[in-house]
mmCIF file of all heavy atoms in Angstrom:
data_model
loop_
_atom_site.group_PDB
_atom_site.id
_atom_site.type_symbol
_atom_site.label_atom_id
_atom_site.label_comp_id
_atom_site.label_asym_id
_atom_site.label_seq_id
_atom_site.Cartn_x
_atom_site.Cartn_y
_atom_site.Cartn_z
ATOM 1 N N GLY S 1 4.027 24.754 -3.538
ATOM 2 C CA GLY S 1 3.349 23.611 -2.926
ATOM 3 C C GLY S 1 2.418 22.914 -3.903
ATOM 4 O O GLY S 1 2.330 21.686 -3.923
ATOM 5 N N ALA S 2 1.717 23.709 -4.722
ATOM 6 C CA ALA S 2 0.776 23.129 -5.679
ATOM 7 C C ALA S 2 1.479 22.283 -6.738
ATOM 8 O O ALA S 2 0.881 21.354 -7.292
ATOM 9 C CB ALA S 2 -0.025 24.243 -6.352
ATOM 10 N N LEU S 3 2.735 22.608 -7.016
ATOM 11 C CA LEU S 3 3.470 21.847 -8.034
ATOM 12 C C LEU S 3 3.737 20.400 -7.610
ATOM 13 O O LEU S 3 3.918 19.524 -8.458
ATOM 14 C CB LEU S 3 4.804 22.538 -8.340
ATOM 15 C CG LEU S 3 4.731 23.804 -9.202
ATOM 16 C CD1 LEU S 3 6.076 24.514 -9.203
ATOM 17 C CD2 LEU S 3 4.315 23.453 -10.626
ATOM 18 N N ILE S 4 3.778 20.140 -6.313
ATOM 19 C CA ILE S 4 4.123 18.788 -5.850
ATOM 20 C C ILE S 4 3.000 18.101 -5.096
ATOM 21 O O ILE S 4 3.077 16.899 -4.833
ATOM 22 C CB ILE S 4 5.384 18.807 -4.962
ATOM 23 C CG1 ILE S 4 5.160 19.627 -3.699
ATOM 24 C CG2 ILE S 4 6.574 19.356 -5.746
ATOM 25 C CD1 ILE S 4 6.320 19.557 -2.713
ATOM 26 N N LEU S 5 1.935 18.829 -4.740
ATOM 27 C CA LEU S 5 0.863 18.220 -3.950
ATOM 28 C C LEU S 5 0.173 17.051 -4.652
ATOM 29 O O LEU S 5 -0.059 16.005 -4.023
ATOM 30 C CB LEU S 5 -0.153 19.281 -3.541
ATOM 31 C CG LEU S 5 -1.332 18.781 -2.707
ATOM 32 C CD1 LEU S 5 -0.840 18.168 -1.405
ATOM 33 C CD2 LEU S 5 -2.314 19.929 -2.433
ATOM 34 N N PRO S 6 -0.199 17.157 -5.942
ATOM 35 C CA PRO S 6 -0.875 16.018 -6.573
ATOM 36 C C PRO S 6 -0.046 14.740 -6.550
ATOM 37 O O PRO S 6 -0.568 13.653 -6.257
ATOM 38 C CB PRO S 6 -1.113 16.500 -8.009
ATOM 39 C CG PRO S 6 -1.095 17.986 -7.932
ATOM 40 C CD PRO S 6 -0.104 18.306 -6.875
ATOM 41 N N GLN S 7 1.256 14.869 -6.837
ATOM 42 C CA GLN S 7 2.119 13.682 -6.818
ATOM 43 C C GLN S 7 2.192 13.092 -5.415
ATOM 44 O O GLN S 7 2.182 11.872 -5.242
ATOM 45 C CB GLN S 7 3.530 14.031 -7.306
ATOM 46 C CG GLN S 7 3.593 14.527 -8.742
ATOM 47 C CD GLN S 7 3.619 16.035 -8.824
ATOM 48 O OE1 GLN S 7 2.706 16.693 -8.334
ATOM 49 N NE2 GLN S 7 4.641 16.579 -9.442
ATOM 50 N N ALA S 8 2.301 13.960 -4.395
ATOM 51 C CA ALA S 8 2.398 13.470 -3.026
ATOM 52 C C ALA S 8 1.135 12.707 -2.636
ATOM 53 O O ALA S 8 1.202 11.667 -1.969
ATOM 54 C CB ALA S 8 2.631 14.641 -2.063
ATOM 55 N N MET S 9 -0.022 13.184 -3.054
ATOM 56 C CA MET S 9 -1.272 12.500 -2.736
ATOM 57 C C MET S 9 -1.335 11.131 -3.425
ATOM 58 O O MET S 9 -1.785 10.146 -2.825
ATOM 59 C CB MET S 9 -2.455 13.371 -3.144
ATOM 60 C CG MET S 9 -2.589 14.637 -2.307
ATOM 61 S SD MET S 9 -3.916 15.732 -2.876
ATOM 62 C CE MET S 9 -5.352 14.707 -2.573
ATOM 63 N N ILE S 10 -0.886 11.066 -4.675
ATOM 64 C CA ILE S 10 -0.895 9.778 -5.370
ATOM 65 C C ILE S 10 0.095 8.816 -4.719
ATOM 66 O O ILE S 10 -0.174 7.612 -4.588
ATOM 67 C CB ILE S 10 -0.573 9.977 -6.868
ATOM 68 C CG1 ILE S 10 -1.637 10.827 -7.530
ATOM 69 C CG2 ILE S 10 -0.467 8.627 -7.579
ATOM 70 C CD1 ILE S 10 -1.328 11.215 -8.963
ATOM 71 N N LEU S 11 1.252 9.331 -4.299
ATOM 72 C CA LEU S 11 2.209 8.497 -3.571
ATOM 73 C C LEU S 11 1.567 7.878 -2.332
ATOM 74 O O LEU S 11 1.832 6.726 -1.988
ATOM 75 C CB LEU S 11 3.428 9.319 -3.156
ATOM 76 C CG LEU S 11 4.519 9.517 -4.214
ATOM 77 C CD1 LEU S 11 5.503 10.585 -3.754
ATOM 78 C CD2 LEU S 11 5.249 8.223 -4.499
ATOM 79 N N GLY S 12 0.721 8.645 -1.665
ATOM 80 C CA GLY S 12 0.068 8.148 -0.471
ATOM 81 C C GLY S 12 -0.897 7.007 -0.738
ATOM 82 O O GLY S 12 -1.162 6.192 0.160
ATOM 83 N N THR S 13 -1.416 6.909 -1.948
ATOM 84 C CA THR S 13 -2.369 5.834 -2.264
ATOM 85 C C THR S 13 -1.672 4.501 -2.510
ATOM 86 O O THR S 13 -2.316 3.450 -2.437
ATOM 87 C CB THR S 13 -3.199 6.184 -3.503
ATOM 88 O OG1 THR S 13 -2.365 6.179 -4.679
ATOM 89 C CG2 THR S 13 -3.860 7.552 -3.365
ATOM 90 N N THR S 14 -0.388 4.526 -2.825
ATOM 91 C CA THR S 14 0.274 3.281 -3.227
ATOM 92 C C THR S 14 0.385 2.285 -2.080
ATOM 93 O O THR S 14 0.243 1.083 -2.301
ATOM 94 C CB THR S 14 1.677 3.572 -3.797
ATOM 95 O OG1 THR S 14 2.481 4.255 -2.809
ATOM 96 C CG2 THR S 14 1.591 4.427 -5.053
ATOM 97 N N PHE S 15 0.619 2.764 -0.855
ATOM 98 C CA PHE S 15 0.801 1.820 0.254
ATOM 99 C C PHE S 15 -0.475 1.036 0.555
ATOM 100 O O PHE S 15 -0.427 -0.208 0.619
ATOM 101 C CB PHE S 15 1.296 2.540 1.501
ATOM 102 C CG PHE S 15 1.550 1.613 2.658
ATOM 103 C CD1 PHE S 15 2.749 0.940 2.774
ATOM 104 C CD2 PHE S 15 0.564 1.384 3.612
ATOM 105 C CE1 PHE S 15 2.973 0.061 3.824
ATOM 106 C CE2 PHE S 15 0.780 0.516 4.656
ATOM 107 C CZ PHE S 15 1.992 -0.153 4.764
ATOM 108 N N PRO S 16 -1.626 1.698 0.784
ATOM 109 C CA PRO S 16 -2.825 0.892 1.076
ATOM 110 C C PRO S 16 -3.239 -0.015 -0.069
ATOM 111 O O PRO S 16 -3.752 -1.110 0.158
ATOM 112 C CB PRO S 16 -3.898 1.943 1.379
ATOM 113 C CG PRO S 16 -3.387 3.217 0.828
ATOM 114 C CD PRO S 16 -1.907 3.135 0.893
ATOM 115 N N LEU S 17 -3.012 0.413 -1.312
ATOM 116 C CA LEU S 17 -3.368 -0.438 -2.445
ATOM 117 C C LEU S 17 -2.480 -1.668 -2.522
ATOM 118 O O LEU S 17 -2.960 -2.791 -2.724
ATOM 119 C CB LEU S 17 -3.278 0.367 -3.747
ATOM 120 C CG LEU S 17 -4.335 1.457 -3.931
ATOM 121 C CD1 LEU S 17 -4.016 2.306 -5.156
ATOM 122 C CD2 LEU S 17 -5.727 0.852 -4.054
ATOM 123 N N MET S 18 -1.162 -1.485 -2.350
ATOM 124 C CA MET S 18 -0.264 -2.634 -2.379
ATOM 125 C C MET S 18 -0.514 -3.541 -1.180
ATOM 126 O O MET S 18 -0.518 -4.770 -1.304
ATOM 127 C CB MET S 18 1.188 -2.164 -2.407
ATOM 128 C CG MET S 18 2.210 -3.297 -2.331
ATOM 129 S SD MET S 18 2.078 -4.510 -3.666
ATOM 130 C CE MET S 18 2.940 -3.644 -4.995
ATOM 131 N N ALA S 19 -0.707 -2.946 0.007
ATOM 132 C CA ALA S 19 -0.964 -3.753 1.189
ATOM 133 C C ALA S 19 -2.223 -4.589 1.023
ATOM 134 O O ALA S 19 -2.256 -5.771 1.387
ATOM 135 C CB ALA S 19 -1.088 -2.852 2.416
ATOM 136 N N ALA S 20 -3.270 -3.989 0.451
ATOM 137 C CA ALA S 20 -4.504 -4.737 0.215
ATOM 138 C C ALA S 20 -4.264 -5.899 -0.738
ATOM 139 O O ALA S 20 -4.802 -7.001 -0.549
ATOM 140 C CB ALA S 20 -5.585 -3.809 -0.341
ATOM 141 N N GLY S 21 -3.463 -5.667 -1.775
ATOM 142 C CA GLY S 21 -3.159 -6.741 -2.721
ATOM 143 C C GLY S 21 -2.375 -7.866 -2.086
ATOM 144 O O GLY S 21 -2.662 -9.047 -2.308
ATOM 145 N N LEU S 22 -1.384 -7.528 -1.250
ATOM 146 C CA LEU S 22 -0.576 -8.555 -0.589
ATOM 147 C C LEU S 22 -1.394 -9.339 0.430
ATOM 148 O O LEU S 22 -1.234 -10.554 0.576
ATOM 149 C CB LEU S 22 0.636 -7.916 0.088
ATOM 150 C CG LEU S 22 1.700 -7.329 -0.840
ATOM 151 C CD1 LEU S 22 2.787 -6.620 -0.049
ATOM 152 C CD2 LEU S 22 2.311 -8.416 -1.715
ATOM 153 N N VAL S 23 -2.275 -8.639 1.141
ATOM 154 C CA VAL S 23 -3.110 -9.318 2.132
ATOM 155 C C VAL S 23 -4.020 -10.336 1.450
ATOM 156 O O VAL S 23 -4.203 -11.461 1.931
ATOM 157 C CB VAL S 23 -3.936 -8.286 2.932
ATOM 158 C CG1 VAL S 23 -5.048 -8.977 3.702
ATOM 159 C CG2 VAL S 23 -3.035 -7.516 3.887
ATOM 160 N N ARG S 24 -4.594 -9.979 0.325
ATOM 161 C CA ARG S 24 -5.518 -10.883 -0.356
ATOM 162 C C ARG S 24 -4.815 -12.079 -0.962
ATOM 163 O O ARG S 24 -5.444 -13.105 -1.210
ATOM 164 C CB ARG S 24 -6.284 -10.127 -1.436
ATOM 165 C CG ARG S 24 -7.211 -9.074 -0.861
ATOM 166 C CD ARG S 24 -8.067 -8.425 -1.902
ATOM 167 N NE ARG S 24 -8.749 -7.259 -1.356
ATOM 168 C CZ ARG S 24 -9.693 -6.596 -2.006
ATOM 169 N NH1 ARG S 24 -10.054 -6.982 -3.225
ATOM 170 N NH2 ARG S 24 -10.255 -5.551 -1.457
ATOM 171 N N ARG S 25 -3.531 -11.966 -1.198
ATOM 172 C CA ARG S 25 -2.784 -13.106 -1.725
ATOM 173 C C ARG S 25 -2.406 -14.095 -0.623
ATOM 174 O O ARG S 25 -1.969 -15.209 -0.905
ATOM 175 C CB ARG S 25 -1.529 -12.632 -2.457
ATOM 176 C CG ARG S 25 -1.830 -11.812 -3.701
ATOM 177 C CD ARG S 25 -0.548 -11.345 -4.365
ATOM 178 N NE ARG S 25 0.193 -12.459 -4.950
ATOM 179 C CZ ARG S 25 -0.007 -12.940 -6.167
ATOM 180 N NH1 ARG S 25 -0.935 -12.397 -6.948
ATOM 181 N NH2 ARG S 25 0.712 -13.948 -6.618
ATOM 182 N N ASP S 26 -2.545 -13.680 0.639
ATOM 183 C CA ASP S 26 -2.222 -14.570 1.763
ATOM 184 C C ASP S 26 -3.176 -14.243 2.909
ATOM 185 O O ASP S 26 -2.792 -13.621 3.900
ATOM 186 C CB ASP S 26 -0.763 -14.366 2.195
ATOM 187 C CG ASP S 26 -0.319 -15.397 3.225
ATOM 188 O OD1 ASP S 26 -1.105 -16.333 3.517
ATOM 189 O OD2 ASP S 26 0.801 -15.272 3.748
ATOM 190 N N LEU S 27 -4.431 -14.674 2.768
ATOM 191 C CA LEU S 27 -5.459 -14.320 3.727
ATOM 192 C C LEU S 27 -5.228 -14.960 5.094
ATOM 193 O O LEU S 27 -5.777 -14.498 6.097
ATOM 194 C CB LEU S 27 -6.832 -14.739 3.190
ATOM 195 C CG LEU S 27 -7.318 -13.976 1.955
ATOM 196 C CD1 LEU S 27 -8.623 -14.551 1.441
ATOM 197 C CD2 LEU S 27 -7.483 -12.494 2.275
ATOM 198 N N GLU S 28 -4.439 -16.003 5.146
ATOM 199 C CA GLU S 28 -4.177 -16.650 6.441
ATOM 200 C C GLU S 28 -3.202 -15.846 7.295
ATOM 201 O O GLU S 28 -3.147 -16.027 8.498
ATOM 202 C CB GLU S 28 -3.619 -18.055 6.216
ATOM 203 C CG GLU S 28 -4.614 -19.010 5.555
ATOM 204 C CD GLU S 28 -4.033 -20.411 5.429
ATOM 205 O OE1 GLU S 28 -2.863 -20.608 5.833
ATOM 206 O OE2 GLU S 28 -4.751 -21.302 4.931
ATOM 207 N N HIS S 29 -2.420 -14.970 6.652
ATOM 208 C CA HIS S 29 -1.452 -14.150 7.400
ATOM 209 C C HIS S 29 -1.555 -12.691 6.929
ATOM 210 O O HIS S 29 -0.635 -12.167 6.299
ATOM 211 C CB HIS S 29 -0.031 -14.667 7.184
ATOM 212 C CG HIS S 29 0.136 -16.125 7.485
ATOM 213 N ND1 HIS S 29 -0.032 -17.099 6.530
ATOM 214 C CD2 HIS S 29 0.434 -16.765 8.648
ATOM 215 C CE1 HIS S 29 0.181 -18.292 7.084
ATOM 216 N NE2 HIS S 29 0.456 -18.114 8.368
ATOM 217 N N PRO S 30 -2.687 -12.023 7.214
ATOM 218 C CA PRO S 30 -2.870 -10.652 6.716
ATOM 219 C C PRO S 30 -1.855 -9.657 7.251
ATOM 220 O O PRO S 30 -1.428 -8.740 6.555
ATOM 221 C CB PRO S 30 -4.291 -10.298 7.171
ATOM 222 C CG PRO S 30 -4.542 -11.206 8.341
ATOM 223 C CD PRO S 30 -3.820 -12.471 8.027
ATOM 224 N N GLY S 31 -1.452 -9.850 8.517
ATOM 225 C CA GLY S 31 -0.470 -8.920 9.087
ATOM 226 C C GLY S 31 0.874 -8.981 8.403
ATOM 227 O O GLY S 31 1.572 -7.978 8.292
ATOM 228 N N ALA S 32 1.221 -10.153 7.895
ATOM 229 C CA ALA S 32 2.506 -10.305 7.222
ATOM 230 C C ALA S 32 2.558 -9.478 5.948
ATOM 231 O O ALA S 32 3.589 -8.885 5.618
ATOM 232 C CB ALA S 32 2.765 -11.773 6.897
ATOM 233 N N GLY S 33 1.437 -9.418 5.224
ATOM 234 C CA GLY S 33 1.403 -8.641 3.992
ATOM 235 C C GLY S 33 1.624 -7.160 4.239
ATOM 236 O O GLY S 33 2.383 -6.490 3.533
ATOM 237 N N VAL S 34 0.959 -6.626 5.278
ATOM 238 C CA VAL S 34 1.125 -5.210 5.609
ATOM 239 C C VAL S 34 2.542 -4.932 6.083
ATOM 240 O O VAL S 34 3.166 -3.936 5.708
ATOM 241 C CB VAL S 34 0.100 -4.804 6.687
ATOM 242 C CG1 VAL S 34 0.326 -3.352 7.099
ATOM 243 C CG2 VAL S 34 -1.321 -4.973 6.168
ATOM 244 N N ALA S 35 3.083 -5.830 6.909
ATOM 245 C CA ALA S 35 4.445 -5.647 7.418
ATOM 246 C C ALA S 35 5.466 -5.679 6.284
ATOM 247 O O ALA S 35 6.404 -4.880 6.257
ATOM 248 C CB ALA S 35 4.766 -6.724 8.445
ATOM 249 N N GLU S 36 5.273 -6.585 5.344
ATOM 250 C CA GLU S 36 6.188 -6.662 4.205
ATOM 251 C C GLU S 36 6.137 -5.397 3.375
ATOM 252 O O GLU S 36 7.172 -4.873 2.953
ATOM 253 C CB GLU S 36 5.840 -7.874 3.350
ATOM 254 C CG GLU S 36 6.415 -9.175 3.831
ATOM 255 C CD GLU S 36 6.206 -10.269 2.805
ATOM 256 O OE1 GLU S 36 5.069 -10.741 2.686
ATOM 257 O OE2 GLU S 36 7.169 -10.637 2.118
ATOM 258 N N ALA S 37 4.924 -4.917 3.111
ATOM 259 C CA ALA S 37 4.778 -3.695 2.321
ATOM 260 C C ALA S 37 5.480 -2.529 2.992
ATOM 261 O O ALA S 37 6.188 -1.750 2.349
ATOM 262 C CB ALA S 37 3.301 -3.381 2.110
ATOM 263 N N TYR S 38 5.298 -2.409 4.300
ATOM 264 C CA TYR S 38 5.922 -1.311 5.038
ATOM 265 C C TYR S 38 7.452 -1.426 5.018
ATOM 266 O O TYR S 38 8.163 -0.443 4.802
ATOM 267 C CB TYR S 38 5.412 -1.300 6.476
ATOM 268 C CG TYR S 38 5.891 -0.115 7.279
ATOM 269 C CD1 TYR S 38 5.251 1.114 7.179
ATOM 270 C CD2 TYR S 38 6.986 -0.219 8.123
ATOM 271 C CE1 TYR S 38 5.691 2.203 7.896
ATOM 272 C CE2 TYR S 38 7.427 0.870 8.849
ATOM 273 C CZ TYR S 38 6.780 2.077 8.733
ATOM 274 O OH TYR S 38 7.216 3.159 9.440
#
């Protein structure tokens, strides 16, 4: 488990970071950025 846990945690950070970036590029439609990322 320890061999893969650090990578899994970093993988988990990518979604909120990308979603935040997409939302800020289109502040008039914040939900669209999150939906696109997902």
Side-chain angles (χ1 to χ4, degrees):
L3 285 170
I4 62 174
L5 180 61
Q7 298 97 302
M9 292 175 65
I10 297 173
L11 278 168
T13 68
T14 59
F15 182 85
L17 291 172
M18 176 59 80
L22 292 175
V23 166
R24 294 186 191 189
R25 295 179 69 87
D26 188 6
L27 293 175
E28 294 183 359
H29 307 91
V34 176
E36 277 189 285
Y38 186 82

